[in-house]
Amino acid sequence: MTNQELMARDLAHIWHPCTQMKDHETIPIIPIKRAKGVYLYDFDGNAYIDGISSWWVNLFGHANPYINAKIKEQVETLEHVIFAGFTHEPIVRLSERLCALTGMDKCFYADNGSSAVEVALKMAFHYHKNRGERRPYFLSLTNSYHGETLGALAVGDVALYKETYREILITTLQTPVPKDRSQESAIQALEVLEEILKERGYEISAMIVEPLVQCAGSMHMYHPLYLTKARELCQQYGVLFIVDEIAVGFGRTGTMFAYEQAGIRPDFICLSKGLTGGYLPLAVVLTTNEIYGAFYCDYLEYKAFLHSHSYTGNATACAAANATLDIFESENVLERNRIKAEHIAARLEAFRDLPNVADVRQRGMIAAIELKGYDPRERIGLQINQFCLKEGIFIRPLGNVVYTMPPYVIETDELDRIFDTIFKAMTTKA
Ligand SMILES: *Cc1c(COP(=O)(O)O)cnc(C)c1O
């Protein structure tokens, strides 16, 4: 089998995500035969460093021997069982560990990030309803991204994904995200938030935020003070606080969870992506006994949260998640990432002075370089993506923002290859 052959068979029957399929008349689709560590291998023998962790999911490399072994063990024992009326050991253990890590009390499972967001939104609305309050609106940040299902899309604000569907989405409220990483811009944004809450807080169920980094929103970063104060303000107005840690959770920003840097305790935490180390689809919404209690009563009061997904609580996925947490516990991951993040910071310096760079930003293991001076029709991000692929580096810029969010097992010389190649792409294309 060659790349060519598999690509032709793919295009005959497959419609790929987030893709204008006509692009593939000229841009090859790359069949991946196998992967190991940070490397993806195609059918023609080329290797690519997975510079974005396969869409932000992979933490400890592809074909990680430890996670592989734990998954194999699990499928030989129990691959999956309906999760209403039944339970299993991997999920009980996982839930205990997630609650211990976050200080939350209860876990509700789903199977992808968007569904976790839907769960948190529905639960927040339903919580108020069970207590006799009608709060039909949700509040989110401008430039936010929370997934692609209709509810998640409605609280999101990336026009590229949202605009087409606007007329069929529920009405939500948006408040400005701080415009940069400064404390001043956080304070400005908080003033607007306070106005909105004063005026309409009584009809808002919950505020949902991506803590510290809006990843799909071009890796936009803001000051933790915003989170600290926004949480406080929401509490004053009875508005629940949802942190969407789907992208930034599990160490991406330097702490296990990004919200920790703001010293807050949210009402809901949404997790997915890195939860299984990038192996299997799984998502969870963590919440408090306070929320749980508003649903807990005699059946005939009809206050139960009647939400489910067929693959909820999949045992194999939970085994992968437990294996991922084992690695966090045994390998001092956050500390080792700190050293890698310092190396990333040093490598980013060289980009600051390039004439086509508007901004360089980093938070932990997320690094972004924002370009300027290109017409969107040039699709500079795509050009850089294609250039880098030829050099054995896989990155996938967001418009004119080039970024890397690598698996944590990446070595210094591999990071160097990523930055050398991006630098070459940017100076060749400039
Ligand atoms: C990816 C992402 C989602 C959606 O998760 P899916 O598993 O792709 O549905 C939601 N919120 C954030 C912040 C994300 O990055």
Side-chain angles (χ1 to χ4, degrees):
M1 188 75 57
T2 64
N3 278 3
Q4 267 299 328
E5 287 163 20
L6 210 58
M7 181 173 93
R9 283 168 59 192
D10 172 291
L11 291 176
H13 296 293
I14 298 170
W15 191 342
H16 286 264
C18 203
T19 300
Q20 170 48 264
M21 290 304 294
K22 191 165 190 287
D23 276 356
H24 286 308
E25 287 182 7
T26 51
I27 300 167
I29 215 159
I30 305 174
I32 295 299
K33 185 177 184 180
R34 63 189 183 88
K36 183 75 193 161
V38 297
Y39 292 96
L40 308 171
Y41 299 94
D42 70 14
F43 281 73
D44 293 343
N46 302 304
Y48 310 90
I49 293 182
D50 187 352
I52 65 158
S53 301
S54 283
W55 252 345
W56 320 343
V57 298
N58 191 288
L59 302 183
F60 301 119
H62 295 273
N64 180 292
Y66 182 75
I67 304 175
N68 282 7
K70 289 295 181 183
I71 289 176
K72 281 180 198 159
E73 211 177 284
Q74 187 59 46
V75 287
E76 297 294 344
T77 316
L78 170 70
E79 82 298 336
H80 178 77
V81 63
I82 175 175
F83 200 56
F86 289 92
T87 193
H88 48 81
E89 197 269 342
I91 205 161
V92 171
R93 206 162 144 250
L94 178 62
S95 307
E96 288 168 352
R97 297 171 94 179
L98 291 173
C99 288
L101 276 170
T102 57
M104 304 298 273
D105 305 309
K106 291 286 188 290
C107 297
F108 191 99
Y109 287 86
D111 47 22
N112 65 81
S114 305
S115 298
V117 168
E118 302 285 343
V119 165
L121 295 174
K122 284 176 68 180
M123 249 183 206
F125 169 78
H126 198 161
Y127 164 83
H128 293 292
K129 188 168 190 154
N130 279 353
R131 290 160 35 105
E133 276 187 60
R134 187 182 167 276
R135 290 176 178 250
Y137 296 104
F138 299 108
L139 179 62
S140 61
L141 294 176
T142 54
N143 191 52
S144 59
Y145 180 84
H146 296 291
E148 301 294 350
T149 53
L150 294 177
L153 204 56
V155 287
D157 185 46
V158 176
L160 180 65
Y161 309 128
K162 182 172 186 176
E163 205 45 50
T164 311
Y165 308 101
R166 197 175 286 274
E167 66 201 294
I168 57 166
L169 299 178
I170 56 165
T171 304
T172 62
L173 305 172
Q174 252 93 52
T175 186
V177 67
K179 70 177 194 311
D180 56 33
R181 284 151 281 165
S182 69
Q183 202 155 321
E184 298 75 67
S185 73
I187 291 166
Q188 277 169 15
L190 286 162
E191 282 165 10
V192 184
L193 173 62
E194 187 160 20
E195 283 306 306
I196 293 175
L197 289 173
K198 244 184 224 160
E199 225 167 274
R200 307 194 60 175
Y202 69 94
E203 50 181 359
I204 299 170
S205 282
M207 176 172 186
I208 181 166
V209 298
E210 294 157 272
L212 302 187
V213 188
Q214 293 183 315
C215 293
S218 301
M219 301 296 160
H220 183 75
M221 301 177 185
Y222 62 89
H223 199 283
L225 176 77
Y226 182 81
L227 288 175
T228 313
K229 297 287 174 195
R231 204 287 178 259
E232 257 175 54
L233 284 170
C234 282
Q235 207 145 21
Q236 276 174 36
Y237 292 89
V239 173
L240 298 173
F241 203 68
I242 306 170
V243 293
D244 176 350
E245 291 260 353
I246 292 164
V248 293
F250 298 100
R252 289 287 178 198
T253 67
T255 44
M256 190 61 169
F257 300 105
Y259 76 85
E260 293 169 22
Q261 293 178 45
I264 56 170
R265 183 176 193 246
D267 296 298
F268 299 97
I269 304 170
C270 300
L271 302 174
S272 188
K273 292 199 166 117
L275 176 60
T276 61
Y279 265 72
L280 288 160
L282 183 68
V284 61
V285 177
L286 289 135
T287 190
T288 62
N289 280 335
E290 154 73 12
I291 303 292
Y292 180 77
F295 294 79
Y296 196 88
C297 53
D298 290 331
Y299 186 82
L300 292 181
E301 288 184 50
Y302 298 112
K303 287 182 174 177
F305 188 60
L306 301 180
H307 181 111
S308 64
H309 297 286
S310 311
Y311 280 97
T312 290
N314 178 265
T316 312
C318 290
N322 276 316
T324 300
L325 292 182
D326 290 346
I327 296 175
F328 271 106
E329 282 174 14
S330 64
E331 294 189 9
N332 211 5
V333 175
L334 298 180
E335 192 52 43
R336 285 159 76 166
N337 279 358
R338 254 189 281 283
I339 297 160
K340 287 174 189 176
E342 276 169 27
H343 187 71
I344 292 173
R347 290 303 319 251
L348 281 173
E349 279 309 308
F351 290 85
R352 289 186 196 277
D353 301 326
L354 291 178
N356 51 345
V357 169
D359 188 30
V360 173
R361 46 188 181 262
Q362 180 195 7
R363 180 84 67 180
M365 293 295 283
I366 308 174
I369 302 155
E370 185 172 336
L371 309 186
K372 65 178 175 193
Y374 297 97
D375 186 304
R377 282 168 299 186
E378 283 180 73
R379 300 177 76 182
I380 183 66
L382 181 62
Q383 289 189 51
I384 288 176
N385 155 270
Q386 293 295 298
F387 181 99
C388 291
L389 276 175
K390 289 198 184 76
E391 305 275 326
I393 302 297
F394 168 55
I395 53 165
R396 199 171 188 279
L398 292 154
N400 64 345
V401 174
V402 180
Y403 73 91
T404 181
M405 198 196 279
Y408 303 158
V409 291
I410 196 160
E411 299 290 346
T412 307
D413 60 322
E414 292 158 342
L415 280 171
D416 284 339
R417 276 194 60 207
I418 293 179
F419 287 105
D420 287 342
T421 308
I422 293 174
F423 194 84
K424 201 164 144 195
M426 284 177 51
T427 44
T428 314
K429 296 274 159 197

